[in-house]
Amino acid sequence: MREINFDGLVGPTHNYAGLSRGNLASSEHSGRPANPRAAALQGLAKMELLHRMGVGQAVLPPQPRPDVRALRALGLRGTDDAVLRAAARDDGHLLRLCSSASSMWTANAATVAPSADTVDGRMHLAVANLSAMFHRSLEAATTHRVFSAIFSDPRWFEVHAPLPSGSAFSDEGAANHLRLKTTAGTTHVFAWGRSGFEPEGRPARFPRRQTREASAAVARLLCLRDGLAMPWEQDPAGIDLGAFHTDVLATGNESFLMLHEHAFSHHRDLVAELRRRLGDELSLAVAHESELPVRDAVSAYPFNSQIVTLPDGTMRVIAPTESRDSDTARRFLERVVAGDNPVRGVEWVDVNASMENGGGPACLRLRIPLEPTEIAALAARVLVDDVLLAELRSFVERHYRDRLVRDDLADPALLVEVRTALDELSRILSLGSVFDFQRP
């Protein structure tokens, strides 16, 4: 089985709208001019790095924005140009909500169980509804079509539609999920922030996005074998300090888990239960508040790094340059590399455009372990190679603007540019008609 990292290509409307309450970087950089072209090229550079390292790499397309269909569903009428003008009235908040390029963070796109873990021996993928945030909830239908186009062979795959929307079953995808594996067993940790049907136990500074009920439903959809699912509560204190998803303060790969003590409630009990399930082969690196304050972890994102296994069996951490530039985050990662675990080094990547909107290297990818026969069954041209990387760089250079401010979102020419670009991209990736504007 080989893990493939499905990275989201940054979209042509990448901008800083500050839409995500509880995401401190998103709020801090709200209103700044953006450079969609540079942002997309940064993401492609990260994909190329992992490809060169021998790590499985694939790409997912951005989604059409502004989302004119959503604006019409909200009561705006007329031509596309008229709808954009109406959405831009007052302070333009409605237009910004429907213009977000947040589908680039594919860690939220879905939760995955590989065929080795399921009762029917197929890979199962449950698309996230992302109902906690309106601008992200707009992604679910297109995400479902994209994954259904890629994993279309029912002999090997089942792609599940998002859970019914609503606050009780709010699902944030793999950003609140960890799969750990040793020779003793496999465990899927499903993290949640609140119950959908019980009152909050204490006042909250920021929203608890994932519900316990959603995590349980996703685990059922994934058809996991008995005993593999392990639900656990996120630490409320961590959420209120900016860890809106588990992957802000915890990440794992195979037999290695790296986490902050404020990632989960009662983290020592979590570690003990993982030890019971996975044995002594499980290795951990736990950061304590005295060593790495949560505030530093949230700003530098060392836990939103990717941990990948190289062809020689050793692991590397793919960390943002912000972690290198933070004394506390860098020292923690240096301790990880020096420790008794499979990690042998850190690769620093510049994904500053994503970081300034609150997403690090791990946010930009969804990990999907696949058998060779399953890789061969992929129905779209999404696996990265040198030729595809060159085509994607050329595509971005030709179609993306190098500056975007809020007022540009109302420009009818931008809508035409985006649709023209994505129509071409769907052909490059052999996806078919997955976008609303391509469909009757």
Side-chain angles (χ1 to χ4, degrees):
M1 183 172 288
R2 186 184 190 203
E3 181 176 276
I4 310 296
N5 292 271
F6 281 73
D7 277 42
L9 182 64
V10 178
T13 62
H14 168 69
N15 68 96
Y16 298 107
L19 301 174
S20 187
R21 182 167 171 259
N23 182 330
L24 300 184
S26 172
S27 300
E28 179 183 347
H29 296 96
S30 177
R32 288 185 48 183
N35 186 332
R37 183 187 302 165
L41 292 174
Q42 282 181 352
L44 286 170
K46 181 176 82 75
M47 295 183 218
E48 182 174 15
L49 171 66
L50 269 70
H51 171 60
R52 300 276 180 240
M53 294 170 68
V55 176
Q57 185 64 58
V59 63
L60 294 170
Q63 298 197 9
R65 297 293 183 268
D67 190 337
V68 176
R69 177 170 291 194
L71 290 169
R72 286 201 168 93
L74 295 172
L76 303 185
R77 295 184 176 87
T79 64
D80 289 346
D81 293 4
V83 167
L84 293 179
R85 287 196 302 272
R89 288 176 190 151
D90 301 322
D91 69 347
H93 183 65
L94 188 58
L95 180 58
R96 292 194 296 276
L97 283 171
C98 294
S99 300
S100 171
S102 54
S103 65
M104 62 196 268
W105 295 304
T106 56
N108 300 115
T111 310
V112 177
S115 53
D117 298 351
T118 64
V119 295
D120 62 2
R122 297 186 298 163
M123 185 214 81
H124 285 258
L125 183 150
V127 174
N129 61 26
L130 298 174
S131 62
M133 296 282 168
F134 172 78
H135 67 287
R136 299 227 58 181
S137 71
L138 300 177
E139 301 166 20
T142 300
T143 299
H144 186 220
R145 288 197 294 269
V146 169
F147 281 129
S148 296
I150 297 170
F151 301 105
S152 61
D153 193 330
R155 295 174 298 170
W156 309 106
F157 315 117
E158 183 165 0
V159 176
H160 300 273
L163 298 177
S165 60
S167 63
F169 289 95
S170 175
D171 174 28
E172 296 287 299
N176 274 358
H177 170 258
L178 291 165
R179 177 181 182 262
L180 300 169
K181 180 177 175 58
T182 66
T183 55
T186 302
T187 293
H188 289 250
V189 180
F190 290 88
W192 54 273
R194 61 182 174 89
S195 168
F197 296 102
E198 298 174 7
E200 294 281 353
R202 72 187 84 178
R205 181 185 178 201
F206 292 133
R208 281 81 168 108
R209 301 189 187 185
Q210 182 86 21
T211 67
R212 181 173 59 193
E213 292 80 5
S215 293
V218 168
R220 290 191 294 270
L221 285 176
L222 294 180
C223 295
L224 290 172
R225 291 185 281 108
D226 287 346
L228 297 192
M230 179 177 154
W232 208 274
E233 184 184 13
Q234 297 170 265
D235 186 344
I239 295 174
D240 281 342
L241 287 170
F244 53 102
H245 292 136
T246 294
D247 65 4
V248 176
L249 290 181
T251 185
N253 181 57
E254 297 178 356
S255 62
F256 177 63
L257 174 63
M258 186 171 82
L259 72 158
H260 194 280
E261 65 175 329
H262 287 304
F264 297 97
S265 295
H266 309 292
H267 79 277
R268 291 184 180 85
D269 293 339
L270 170 87
V271 169
E273 177 62 17
L274 288 173
R275 288 277 190 213
R276 186 188 71 78
R277 290 170 174 239
L278 301 175
D280 292 337
E281 188 181 332
L282 177 70
S283 56
L284 299 104
V286 181
H288 297 281
E289 183 71 13
S290 58
E291 172 190 21
L292 174 58
V294 170
R295 294 185 186 279
D296 290 359
V298 168
S299 63
Y301 266 30
F303 297 99
N304 201 255
S305 300
Q306 294 176 245
I307 305 175
V308 297
T309 301
L310 302 189
D312 65 3
T314 63
M315 297 184 190
R316 296 293 186 277
V317 174
I318 312 300
T321 52
E322 284 81 356
S323 288
R324 180 195 62 195
D325 299 337
S326 163
D327 290 342
T328 51
R330 186 185 65 256
R331 285 196 295 265
F332 170 70
L333 290 175
E334 289 170 349
R335 176 167 76 81
V336 169
V337 173
D340 183 17
N341 62 67
V343 177
R344 294 293 176 266
V346 179
E347 297 284 343
W348 308 104
V349 294
D350 181 2
V351 287
N352 178 260
S354 177
M355 287 286 291
E356 290 187 348
N357 247 336
C363 284
L364 288 162
R365 66 90 177 94
L366 178 68
R367 345 172 48 156
I368 303 183
L370 296 169
E371 298 285 359
T373 51
E374 295 166 344
I375 294 174
L378 297 180
R381 186 195 176 208
V382 292
L383 293 176
V384 162
D385 57 24
D386 292 346
V387 174
L388 181 57
L389 281 169
E391 285 185 50
L392 292 174
R393 281 193 293 268
S394 173
F395 166 82
V396 169
E397 292 282 5
R398 286 183 289 108
H399 288 292
Y400 282 51
R401 297 185 180 189
D402 61 5
R403 177 180 169 83
L404 194 74
V405 296
R406 287 180 173 180
D407 289 347
D408 293 332
L409 299 175
D411 180 2
L414 178 63
L415 181 64
V416 174
E417 291 169 19
V418 170
R419 289 177 173 175
T420 301
L422 294 191
D423 199 44
E424 178 182 332
L425 184 61
S426 66
R427 293 193 295 272
I428 291 173
L429 301 181
S430 302
L431 287 169
S433 299
V434 292
F435 302 126
D436 283 339
F437 69 86
Q438 297 174 317
R439 299 158 63 86

